[in-house]
Protein backbone atom coordinates (compact mmCIF):
# COMPACT_ATOMS: atom_id res chain seq x y z
CA UNK A 1 0.00 0.00 0.00
CA UNK A 2 1.25 3.51 -0.82
CA UNK A 3 2.07 5.71 2.17
CA UNK A 4 1.29 8.99 0.43
CA UNK A 5 2.75 11.20 3.16
CA UNK A 6 6.25 9.84 2.62
CA UNK A 7 5.92 8.37 -0.87
CA UNK A 8 6.95 4.85 0.14
CA UNK A 9 5.22 1.52 -0.36
CA UNK A 10 4.53 -0.70 2.66
CA UNK A 11 4.03 -4.47 2.44
CA UNK A 12 0.69 -5.45 3.96
CA UNK A 13 0.67 -9.14 2.95
CA UNK A 14 3.64 -11.44 2.43
CA UNK A 15 4.37 -15.13 1.83
CA UNK A 16 1.04 -15.84 0.12
CA UNK A 17 0.50 -17.78 -3.10
CA UNK A 18 2.75 -20.73 -2.29
CA UNK A 19 5.82 -21.37 -4.39
CA UNK A 20 5.89 -18.90 -7.30
CA UNK A 21 4.94 -20.55 -10.57
CA UNK A 22 5.47 -18.61 -13.79
CA UNK A 23 2.38 -18.24 -15.93
CA UNK A 24 -0.20 -19.34 -13.35
CA UNK A 25 -2.72 -16.47 -13.33
CA UNK A 26 -4.86 -18.04 -10.58
CA UNK A 27 -2.15 -17.00 -8.11
CA UNK A 28 -2.53 -13.29 -8.87
CA UNK A 29 -4.31 -11.13 -6.35
CA UNK A 30 -7.65 -10.01 -7.71
CA UNK A 31 -9.18 -6.56 -7.54
CA UNK A 32 -10.34 -6.22 -3.91
CA UNK A 33 -13.93 -5.91 -2.76
CA UNK A 34 -14.32 -2.88 -0.51
CA UNK A 35 -16.98 -1.96 2.06
CA UNK A 36 -16.24 1.14 4.12
CA UNK A 37 -12.62 1.00 5.25
CA UNK A 38 -12.32 -2.77 4.80
CA UNK A 39 -10.94 -4.44 1.68
CA UNK A 40 -11.36 -8.16 1.02
CA UNK A 41 -8.42 -9.67 -0.87
CA UNK A 42 -8.52 -12.95 -2.80
CA UNK A 43 -6.14 -14.83 -5.07
CA UNK A 44 -7.95 -18.15 -5.63
CA UNK A 45 -5.22 -20.03 -3.79
CA UNK A 46 -5.08 -18.79 -0.19
CA UNK A 47 -8.07 -18.19 2.08
CA UNK A 48 -9.50 -14.68 1.57
CA UNK A 49 -8.13 -12.04 3.95
CA UNK A 50 -9.19 -8.53 4.89
CA UNK A 51 -7.25 -5.29 5.28
CA UNK A 52 -8.45 -2.25 7.20
CA UNK A 53 -7.18 1.06 5.84
CA UNK A 54 -4.25 2.36 7.86
CA UNK A 55 -4.07 -0.99 9.64
CA UNK A 56 -0.78 -1.63 11.36
CA UNK A 57 1.71 -4.27 10.31
CA UNK A 58 2.20 -6.62 13.25
CA UNK A 59 2.72 -10.19 14.43
CA UNK A 60 5.52 -12.66 13.79
CA UNK A 61 4.77 -12.62 10.08
CA UNK A 62 4.61 -8.80 9.96
CA UNK A 63 1.26 -8.78 8.19
CA UNK A 64 -1.39 -6.06 8.00
CA UNK A 65 -4.04 -8.43 6.62
CA UNK A 66 -6.10 -10.80 8.73
CA UNK A 67 -8.00 -14.02 8.16
CA UNK A 68 -11.81 -13.89 8.08
CA UNK A 69 -12.89 -16.16 10.97
CA UNK A 70 -16.49 -16.57 9.73
CA UNK A 71 -15.32 -18.34 6.58
CA UNK A 72 -14.36 -21.34 8.71
CA UNK A 73 -18.04 -21.62 9.71
CA UNK A 74 -19.00 -22.31 6.10
CA UNK A 75 -15.78 -24.20 5.25
CA UNK A 76 -14.83 -21.73 2.50
CA UNK A 77 -11.11 -21.83 1.78
CA UNK A 78 -10.66 -20.01 -1.56
CA UNK A 79 -12.48 -17.56 -3.81
CA UNK A 80 -11.38 -16.60 -7.31
CA UNK A 81 -13.63 -13.55 -7.70
CA UNK A 82 -14.73 -10.88 -5.21
CA UNK A 83 -16.98 -7.86 -5.79
CA UNK A 84 -18.97 -5.32 -3.78
CA UNK A 85 -22.56 -4.46 -4.65
CA UNK A 86 -25.05 -2.65 -2.41
CA UNK A 87 -22.45 -2.77 0.38
CA UNK A 88 -22.42 -6.58 0.26
CA UNK A 89 -19.37 -8.67 -0.69
CA UNK A 90 -19.94 -11.35 -3.32
CA UNK A 91 -17.57 -14.27 -3.90
CA UNK A 92 -17.60 -16.39 -7.06
CA UNK A 93 -15.84 -19.63 -8.04
CA UNK A 94 -15.20 -20.85 -4.52
CA UNK A 95 -13.82 -23.88 -2.71
CA UNK A 96 -16.05 -25.16 0.10
CA UNK A 97 -15.71 -28.38 2.09
CA UNK A 98 -12.62 -29.17 0.03
CA UNK A 99 -14.54 -29.10 -3.28
CA UNK A 100 -14.21 -26.39 -5.91
CA UNK A 101 -17.55 -24.96 -7.03
CA UNK A 102 -16.77 -22.83 -10.08
CA UNK A 103 -20.46 -22.03 -10.55
CA UNK A 104 -21.21 -20.89 -6.97
CA UNK A 105 -21.96 -17.37 -5.75
CA UNK A 106 -21.90 -16.61 -2.04
CA UNK A 107 -22.44 -13.28 -0.31
CA UNK A 108 -21.77 -11.64 3.05
CA UNK A 109 -23.96 -9.68 5.40
CA UNK A 110 -24.68 -6.06 4.43
CA UNK A 111 -22.23 -3.44 5.74
CA UNK A 112 -20.28 -6.29 7.35
CA UNK A 113 -17.74 -7.69 4.87
CA UNK A 114 -16.25 -10.08 7.44
CA UNK A 115 -19.66 -11.49 8.49
CA UNK A 116 -20.45 -14.76 6.73
CA UNK A 117 -22.24 -16.74 9.45
CA UNK A 118 -25.60 -17.91 8.03
CA UNK A 119 -26.94 -18.47 11.54
CA UNK A 120 -26.22 -14.99 12.86
CA UNK A 121 -29.23 -12.82 13.65
CA UNK A 122 -30.13 -10.18 11.08
CA UNK A 123 -27.89 -11.50 8.32
CA UNK A 124 -28.59 -11.34 4.57
CA UNK A 125 -25.87 -13.92 3.90
CA UNK A 126 -26.69 -16.51 1.24
CA UNK A 127 -25.56 -18.45 -1.81
CA UNK A 128 -26.70 -19.39 -5.29
CA UNK A 129 -25.34 -21.83 -7.87
CA UNK A 130 -25.29 -21.02 -11.56
CA UNK A 131 -25.65 -23.97 -13.93
CA UNK A 132 -23.21 -26.84 -13.55
CA UNK A 133 -20.25 -26.50 -15.89
CA UNK A 134 -20.15 -22.71 -15.77
CA UNK A 135 -17.18 -20.91 -14.27
CA UNK A 136 -17.79 -17.49 -12.76
CA UNK A 137 -15.30 -15.06 -14.28
CA UNK A 138 -16.47 -11.74 -12.90
CA UNK A 139 -19.17 -9.46 -11.53
CA UNK A 140 -20.03 -6.00 -12.79
CA UNK A 141 -22.74 -3.50 -11.80
CA UNK A 142 -24.92 -2.15 -14.60
CA UNK A 143 -28.01 0.03 -14.19
CA UNK A 144 -28.49 -0.88 -10.51
CA UNK A 145 -28.27 -4.59 -11.37
CA UNK A 146 -25.42 -6.98 -10.79
CA UNK A 147 -24.31 -8.98 -13.82
CA UNK A 148 -22.54 -12.29 -13.30
CA UNK A 149 -20.37 -13.17 -16.28
CA UNK A 150 -19.45 -16.83 -16.69
CA UNK A 151 -17.74 -18.98 -19.30
CA UNK A 152 -21.14 -20.05 -20.66
CA UNK A 153 -23.67 -17.39 -19.70
CA UNK A 154 -24.51 -13.94 -18.38
CA UNK A 155 -26.75 -13.70 -15.31
CA UNK A 156 -28.61 -10.74 -13.86
CA UNK A 157 -29.13 -10.26 -10.10
CA UNK A 158 -31.84 -7.86 -9.00
CA UNK A 159 -33.05 -7.02 -5.52
CA UNK A 160 -36.48 -6.30 -4.11
CA UNK A 161 -36.96 -4.73 -0.72
CA UNK A 162 -34.97 -2.23 1.30
CA UNK A 163 -32.67 -4.39 3.45
CA UNK A 164 -34.42 -3.16 6.60
CA UNK A 165 -34.64 -6.81 7.63
CA UNK A 166 -33.33 -9.99 5.99
CA UNK A 167 -36.89 -10.90 5.09
CA UNK A 168 -37.39 -7.53 3.35
CA UNK A 169 -34.67 -8.12 0.79
CA UNK A 170 -34.64 -10.90 -1.79
CA UNK A 171 -32.18 -11.49 -4.63
CA UNK A 172 -33.60 -12.67 -7.96
CA UNK A 173 -31.39 -14.47 -10.49
CA UNK A 174 -32.17 -14.43 -14.22
CA UNK A 175 -30.14 -15.95 -17.06
CA UNK A 176 -29.99 -13.29 -19.76
CA UNK A 177 -27.78 -15.12 -22.27
CA UNK A 178 -26.47 -18.67 -22.42
CA UNK A 179 -24.47 -20.88 -24.75
CA UNK A 180 -23.92 -24.08 -22.83
CA UNK A 181 -22.57 -26.16 -25.70
CA UNK A 182 -19.68 -24.01 -26.91
CA UNK A 183 -19.51 -20.88 -24.76
CA UNK A 184 -19.73 -18.81 -27.94
CA UNK A 185 -19.66 -15.04 -27.32
CA UNK A 186 -18.91 -15.64 -23.64
CA UNK A 187 -15.94 -14.29 -21.72
CA UNK A 188 -12.61 -16.10 -21.97
CA UNK A 189 -10.26 -13.65 -20.22
CA UNK A 190 -11.55 -12.36 -16.85
CA UNK A 191 -9.19 -9.36 -16.58
CA UNK A 192 -10.76 -7.80 -19.69
CA UNK A 193 -14.23 -7.38 -18.14
CA UNK A 194 -15.19 -3.69 -17.88
CA UNK A 195 -18.10 -1.30 -18.35
CA UNK A 196 -18.72 2.20 -19.66
CA UNK A 197 -21.92 2.51 -17.59
CA UNK A 198 -24.16 1.58 -20.51
CA UNK A 199 -22.74 -1.77 -21.63
CA UNK A 200 -20.22 -4.33 -20.48
CA UNK A 201 -17.24 -5.33 -22.61
CA UNK A 202 -14.99 -8.38 -22.51
CA UNK A 203 -12.71 -10.54 -24.63
CA UNK A 204 -14.10 -13.87 -25.77
CA UNK A 205 -12.16 -16.64 -27.45
CA UNK A 206 -12.35 -15.00 -30.88
CA UNK A 207 -13.12 -11.29 -30.44
CA UNK A 208 -14.22 -8.46 -28.15
CA UNK A 209 -17.89 -8.41 -27.21
CA UNK A 210 -20.41 -5.90 -25.92
CA UNK A 211 -23.57 -6.71 -23.96
CA UNK A 212 -26.23 -4.72 -22.17
CA UNK A 213 -29.72 -5.23 -20.76
CA UNK A 214 -31.34 -4.37 -24.10
CA UNK A 215 -29.52 -7.05 -26.10
CA UNK A 216 -30.60 -10.65 -26.48
CA UNK A 217 -27.09 -11.83 -27.40
CA UNK A 218 -23.62 -10.26 -27.05
CA UNK A 219 -22.33 -8.62 -30.20
CA UNK A 220 -18.84 -8.17 -31.53
CA UNK A 221 -17.54 -4.66 -30.99
CA UNK A 222 -16.32 -3.33 -34.32
CA UNK A 223 -14.57 -0.23 -33.03
CA UNK A 224 -12.53 -2.29 -30.57
CA UNK A 225 -11.87 -4.97 -33.18
CA UNK A 226 -10.61 -2.35 -35.66
CA UNK A 227 -8.36 -0.77 -33.03
CA UNK A 228 -6.45 -3.88 -32.01
CA UNK A 229 -4.79 -6.89 -33.59
Amino acid sequence: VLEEAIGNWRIIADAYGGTPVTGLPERRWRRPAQVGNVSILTNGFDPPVFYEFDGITAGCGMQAVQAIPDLALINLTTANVAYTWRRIVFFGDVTMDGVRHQERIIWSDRDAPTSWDPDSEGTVHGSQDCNFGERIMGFVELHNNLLVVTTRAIWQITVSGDFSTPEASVFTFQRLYAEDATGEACIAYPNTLCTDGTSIFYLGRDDFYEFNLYMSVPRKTKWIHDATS
Side-chain angles (χ1 to χ4, degrees), residues 109 117-123 166:
D109 200 1
D117 183 359
D119 297 324
S120 62
E121 184 177 353
T123 185

Side-chain angles (χ1 to χ4, degrees), residues 1-3 10-13 32-41 49-57 63-68 114:
V1 63
L2 176 63
E3 301 279 11
R10 175 168 61 93
I11 294 175
I12 61 173
Q34 179 184 334
V35 178
N37 70 333
V38 175
S39 290
I40 305 295
L41 305 171
V49 295
F50 73 95
Y51 168 70
E52 294 188 73
F53 290 163
D54 296 326
I56 62 172
T57 301
Q63 308 281 345
V65 298
Q66 303 176 57
I68 303 172
T114 60

